[in-house]
Amino acid sequence: MDNRQWMGRDLAHLWHPCTQMKDHENLPVIPIRRGEGAWLEDFEGRRYLDAISSWWVNLFGHANPRINAALHEQLEQLEHVLLAGFSHAPAIELAERLCAIAPPGLSRVFYADNGSSAVEVALKMSFHYWRNRGETGRTRFVTLANSYHGETLGALAVGNVELYRDTYGPLLMETLTVPSPDCFGVPPEEWAAHGEAALEPLEETLERHAGEVCAVIVEPLVQCAGYMRMYHPAYLKGLREACDRHRVHLIADEIAVGFGRTGTLFACEQAAITPDFLCLSKGLTGGYLPLSAVLTGEEVYDAFYDDYQRLTAFLHSHSYTGNPLACRAALATLELFATEPVLERNRGLAHRMAEATTPLKDHPHVAEVRQTGMILAIELARHGREAYPWQERRGLRVYRHGLERGVLLRPLGNVVYFMPPYVITPEEIELMVQVAAEGIDLATRD
Ligand SMILES: *Cc1c(COP(=O)(O)O)cnc(C)c1O
């Protein structure tokens, strides 16, 4: 069966995520038959370089031999068992490994099965912690402008990207929003000061709402879905101090930035902080299976630990919590980090991405090229200053051009970005950047 036939069958029944389905009247759905390394291949043998790690999940390539082997082995043993009252080796080993590599002080692991659910868990746990401690007046969450934490209703409520949120506004709990430390347009040498300045309104909010706030939730260093806006670790450092001073939790949502994307294994390391809750998903399984984890410390754990009759337990659950296959894929992924110089190799690749994109800084319609580790973003603007109206869908033109040239780019509005799997080669980086540059030329021609 060829692409067209698969596409026809697809459009007869599938409703795709994050998609206006009418777009597919003249935009193809690309059916993928197989993947290998950084490449995807369709049913007619056309190949696409996966420059965005299939929505930021893939770390070590598609059909990675070592992860495949681990999964085959696990499949012969156990596919799934409930995690209430029962347990299994992959869940236990993974919890041990996560606690060993996470920032110090995180010693308890609660599993869920996707990123949004992890955020829900962290929000509920924080609220419930205060309640168990007798502070029932704490019901609010502080969130940053332009943040994204997923799309279930609780996660959407603490998010701030209008495109995803506004429609559902009437359904969402009210949050306290503070300015983002986003450094768009700020020269690199001023990033730290810019971040520190953004702490002032945060402090004010925490002061004004003393005793009402459960937690501040933040995406460390890069607001990925928020157009890849970036900021300095100095903000995180100050934020940790502010949370301590005002006695509120800090939830670090490292669902997108965890596992090496920012240059360190976890972004929080760059500020040398430990959050009260660390949310992980996406790269956790190397991009193989849905799984998420919320890490926290003994202080939080203890607040729930009591006789059953006191009803302080955290009763949250999902059917596939801690699925053995997913945990095994995660263990194989962590094994790759442990046995190969991944972060060091990535420094070389990140440098290649920086070099290859240097000429784009002088493009007449590029406002900024910014980078944090293995995430590089190019923000388009007319004459480098005037934001293109979203209705013009300039990024979509880049996407189309990428497909024609065999590179999967999926710009966020006017922001073209790269977040490739770590198995990408320097030559593939050249190709990826060249095709993006052509696409940017085409997309900004008028
Ligand atoms: C993707 C993402 C989520 C949501 O994860 P899902 O698995 O898509 O529900 C939450 N937070 C951040 C920062 C993300 O990038």
Side-chain angles (χ1 to χ4, degrees):
M1 208 168 337
D2 64 13
N3 281 358
R4 274 181 58 92
Q5 289 168 305
W6 280 114
M7 205 187 305
R9 286 171 62 180
D10 175 293
L11 291 175
H13 294 292
L14 259 72
W15 192 341
H16 289 268
C18 202
T19 298
Q20 169 49 264
M21 291 302 294
K22 188 167 189 289
D23 279 0
H24 286 306
E25 287 179 8
N26 51 43
L27 185 72
V29 173
I30 315 288
I32 294 300
R33 177 173 55 188
R34 57 186 298 276
E36 188 180 351
W39 293 87
L40 298 165
E41 189 182 307
D42 70 17
F43 282 79
E44 290 164 8
R46 281 184 56 90
R47 303 201 324 141
Y48 305 87
L49 179 62
D50 188 353
I52 59 162
S53 297
S54 285
W55 259 354
W56 323 342
V57 298
N58 191 288
L59 297 185
F60 296 108
H62 297 279
N64 181 286
R66 288 175 64 180
I67 304 176
N68 283 6
L71 277 175
H72 277 292
E73 210 173 289
Q74 182 59 41
L75 205 46
E76 297 300 325
Q77 298 287 325
L78 177 67
E79 81 303 334
H80 186 66
V81 62
L82 79 167
L83 205 61
F86 284 68
S87 195
H88 53 84
I92 295 166
E93 286 169 21
L94 180 59
E96 290 169 352
R97 293 282 285 266
L98 288 173
C99 291
I101 59 175
L106 298 173
S107 52
R108 296 283 166 180
V109 177
F110 190 96
Y111 290 116
D113 47 20
N114 63 74
S116 304
S117 299
V119 169
E120 302 281 346
V121 165
L123 297 175
K124 284 176 69 179
M125 242 184 212
S126 173
F127 165 80
H128 200 161
Y129 166 92
W130 294 113
R131 196 178 162 81
N132 282 351
R133 287 278 186 245
E135 298 200 37
T136 50
R138 292 186 188 263
T139 58
R140 315 192 70 174
F141 293 94
V142 176
T143 179
L144 306 194
N146 191 47
S147 58
Y148 176 91
H149 297 288
E151 310 205 19
T152 54
L153 292 175
L156 201 56
V158 291
N160 211 255
V161 179
E162 291 165 18
L163 179 63
Y164 307 114
R165 188 197 147 94
D166 277 10
T167 308
Y168 307 101
L171 302 183
L172 305 179
M173 67 173 163
E174 267 186 55
T175 51
L176 299 164
T177 306
V178 298
S180 165
D182 165 19
C183 287
F184 178 53
V186 177
E189 62 276 11
E190 290 169 31
W191 277 31
H194 186 78
E196 277 158 9
L199 289 166
E200 237 171 79
L202 168 83
E203 291 266 4
E204 247 170 59
T205 298
L206 291 178
E207 212 146 286
R208 190 158 358 107
H209 297 277
E212 295 170 32
V213 174
C214 298
V216 180
I217 182 166
V218 65
E219 295 158 274
L221 300 189
V222 188
Q223 296 185 312
C224 292
Y227 308 97
M228 297 293 165
R229 292 293 177 85
M230 301 174 182
Y231 63 89
H232 196 274
Y235 180 81
L236 286 180
K237 218 174 175 50
L239 173 61
R240 175 72 274 184
E241 287 165 13
C243 288
D244 287 342
R245 215 172 319 111
H246 295 275
R247 240 168 45 82
V248 304
H249 287 142
L250 173 58
I251 302 172
D253 175 355
E254 293 220 19
I255 289 164
V257 297
F259 301 103
R261 292 290 185 196
T262 66
T264 44
L265 191 59
F266 299 110
C268 282
E269 291 171 31
Q270 295 185 39
I273 61 158
T274 297
D276 298 286
F277 300 92
L278 176 65
C279 300
L280 303 173
S281 188
K282 292 206 165 111
L284 173 60
T285 62
Y288 266 66
L289 286 159
L291 178 70
S292 62
V294 178
L295 275 65
T296 188
E298 296 304 309
E299 158 72 10
V300 169
Y301 183 77
D302 286 346
F304 292 81
Y305 196 93
D306 209 336
D307 294 329
Y308 184 85
Q309 288 75 5
R310 295 184 59 90
L311 296 177
T312 56
F314 191 61
L315 298 181
H316 187 101
S317 67
H318 296 285
S319 308
Y320 283 97
T321 289
N323 173 262
L325 289 165
C327 289
R328 185 55 76 196
L331 281 165
T333 300
L334 294 183
E335 190 62 18
L336 285 163
F337 277 104
T339 55
E340 290 179 18
V342 177
L343 298 177
E344 190 188 314
R345 224 167 36 206
N346 282 357
R347 276 194 284 281
L349 294 172
H351 185 67
R352 275 306 252 271
M353 296 207 303
E355 278 186 340
T357 51
T358 301
L360 279 167
K361 291 181 179 168
D362 299 322
H363 191 285
H365 303 300
V366 167
E368 183 176 84
V369 177
R370 54 182 173 266
Q371 182 177 19
T372 300
M374 288 294 282
I375 306 172
L376 189 143
I378 303 153
E379 182 136 354
L380 310 183
R382 196 189 304 275
H383 307 305
R385 289 187 308 272
E386 195 187 317
Y388 288 111
W390 62 267
Q391 293 88 340
E392 294 177 9
R393 305 185 78 182
R394 304 258 166 184
L396 187 59
R397 303 186 203 176
V398 179
Y399 173 73
R400 282 179 188 277
H401 177 73
L403 291 185
E404 269 169 39
R405 294 274 279 116
V407 179
L408 167 49
L409 301 160
R410 202 173 189 282
L412 293 155
N414 296 320
V415 176
V416 180
Y417 71 91
F418 310 116
M419 201 194 287
Y422 305 160
V423 294
I424 195 167
T425 65
E427 294 71 36
E428 288 162 353
I429 288 176
E430 298 300 325
L431 172 70
M432 170 179 90
V433 173
Q434 187 196 331
V435 170
E438 294 164 4
I440 289 169
D441 275 341
L442 284 171
T444 58
R445 195 163 274 174
D446 52 312

